[in-house]
Amino acid sequence: MSTLEESGLRGRIRETRPGRLAFPATERGRKRRRIALLAVPFFALATFGAFIPLVKMFRISVSEQFLYEVQGWTLEPYRQLFASIAAFVPVVGTDLSAAIAVGGEAVNPVYGRTIWNSLWFGAVTTVASVALGIAIAHGLEKYDLPRKDMLITLISFPISLPGIVAAFMMIVLFGQTGFLTNVFAVITGAEPVDIQLTGQPSGTTLAIVGLFFGYIYSMIPRATLLLRGTYAEVNTDAEEAARSLGATPLQTFRYVTLPQIRPGIVGALILTFRTALAIFGTVLVLKSLSVVTFRFDQLVGVGYELNIASALASVFFVFTVLFTFLGLRYTSAEVGR
């Protein structure tokens, strides 16, 4: 190839979009090239850590054979999953489930109960954690508390703990030989075995209350840290103006502070709810309620039902991504007002 032909080929390559990115002629192009180079490690990590496993997971969820090699195609795991979930829908659940299951043989109440438990328990613990997080963040940001740095360290401490350790701490406090269990037993005269919050049969009220404390122990610090960042953006001049006009602290919070921190609250609800759905160690140790993460452990470790586990994980993934996307869109709209 002659030098003239090589020059023409190089020129045509530089006219393409990848060519303009690789051989920029302007400062803006060189800036894009630097950004692209900086993004390479992320995309490499995302490819092997997320994209490929997701594709493999989706493929297994619709496979007929998966033990030795992935073969065939079937939607039976999704039919079973959606029929079981539909059975828990009020009023129309029975008819809807029968229509999906085609005769009802595919319905397994375990999956519907697992999804339902995950949603209501995650929602309850999220609301409780964010409500307490608002109170804690408000106290930290609005009042000159003594030893504030130590308080922040103590509040943030559970974030550094694995869920299994947090669950063990709940057993130490609320198990049959737990410290608080025995304190309440001495005060009330009841037997420790009757008031312990961990070690009770799964699904009972006391067992769920124990799991509730384990969850919010891990989630309150996350909600608090998110909300503290929101409080840093609050217009304190507006709050002082409201107070000078005679508003009480509660009225100032309701009509001045709360509208300003509302996008932060929505963001905290989204991220905390995602955390509630994904907590694994705590629910695995306490075994108080069948939620999604606990069902994954059962399907993969005990039953080795990889296709239904993959289908459940796929539904869980799509739901979480859509929920996060819609929540962040709402938050962005609120901020942009």
Side-chain angles (χ1 to χ4, degrees):
M1 182 179 292
S2 67
T3 304
L4 185 61
E5 289 174 333
E6 289 179 357
S7 177
L9 178 60
R10 189 180 302 118
R12 287 194 295 274
I13 292 175
R14 289 188 175 185
E15 289 299 321
T16 62
R17 177 171 294 183
R20 289 196 296 271
L21 182 63
F23 306 101
T26 62
E27 181 59 32
R28 184 179 181 184
R30 285 188 284 273
K31 182 179 179 181
R32 286 181 176 177
R33 184 174 63 180
R34 287 195 293 270
I35 294 174
L37 289 174
L38 290 172
V40 167
F42 167 77
F43 280 106
L45 182 63
T47 299
F48 292 99
F51 300 148
I52 293 177
L54 281 174
V55 171
K56 188 71 174 179
M57 182 182 71
F58 282 121
R59 179 65 184 94
I60 292 175
S61 70
V62 292
S63 65
E64 290 181 320
Q65 299 289 335
F66 51 85
L67 293 179
Y68 300 103
E69 59 180 333
V70 179
Q71 290 182 333
W73 296 87
T74 178
L75 293 177
E76 182 59 25
Y78 287 98
R79 191 162 71 94
Q80 182 179 11
L81 197 57
F82 286 121
S84 304
I85 296 172
F88 277 77
V89 177
V91 183
V92 298
T94 303
D95 294 337
L96 184 61
S97 176
I100 298 174
V102 192
E105 73 279 3
V107 176
N108 187 340
V110 169
Y111 301 118
R113 191 177 302 114
T114 296
I115 297 294
W116 169 243
N117 287 342
S118 300
L119 292 178
W120 78 258
F121 190 74
V124 169
T125 52
T126 295
V127 171
S129 300
V130 172
L132 291 172
I134 293 172
I136 296 172
H138 190 86
L140 290 173
E141 297 300 321
K142 296 299 179 184
Y143 299 100
D144 187 17
L145 301 175
R147 299 188 180 279
K148 192 172 181 178
D149 292 339
M150 181 179 293
L151 286 175
I152 294 172
T153 302
L154 291 175
I155 292 169
S156 307
F157 171 67
I159 294 179
S160 60
L161 291 177
I164 292 176
V165 177
F168 179 73
M169 294 176 71
M170 290 300 107
I171 294 175
V172 170
L173 288 176
F174 299 113
Q176 184 175 351
T177 59
F179 174 73
L180 293 180
T181 300
N182 284 275
V183 169
F184 291 132
V186 170
I187 294 174
T188 61
E191 292 294 330
V193 69
D194 295 328
I195 59 175
Q196 64 183 29
L197 298 182
T198 63
Q200 296 281 2
S202 177
T204 58
T205 302
L206 289 178
I208 294 173
V209 171
L211 185 64
F212 172 81
F213 283 123
Y215 260 56
I216 65 172
Y217 181 72
S218 299
M219 290 159 53
I220 285 176
R222 293 175 170 82
T224 301
L225 292 181
L226 290 169
L227 290 164
R228 283 195 67 203
T230 302
Y231 264 93
E233 303 296 328
V234 170
N235 184 351
T236 56
D237 293 338
E239 292 178 323
E240 293 174 0
R243 294 298 301 275
S244 65
L245 292 173
T248 65
L250 182 59
Q251 289 172 329
T252 303
F253 175 79
R254 179 179 177 182
Y255 295 109
V256 180
T257 308
L258 185 59
Q260 295 186 67
I261 66 172
R262 188 166 55 190
I265 294 175
V266 175
L269 287 171
I270 295 169
L271 297 176
T272 308
F273 185 66
R274 285 174 48 188
T275 302
L277 293 179
I279 286 181
F280 176 68
T282 305
V283 72
L284 183 64
V285 172
L286 297 182
K287 294 183 173 64
S288 303
L289 192 66
S290 178
V291 294
V292 171
T293 48
F294 184 71
R295 182 52 47 187
F296 283 142
D297 181 67
Q298 295 291 304
L299 289 171
V300 176
V302 179
Y304 202 67
E305 301 178 76
L306 284 186
N307 57 347
I308 190 70
S310 297
L312 183 60
S314 300
V315 173
F316 181 77
F317 171 78
V318 172
F319 170 77
T320 305
V321 170
L322 288 178
F323 174 79
T324 305
F325 176 75
L326 293 175
L328 293 179
R329 284 289 299 271
Y330 173 79
T331 306
S332 300
E334 286 286 298
V335 173
R337 286 181 180 177

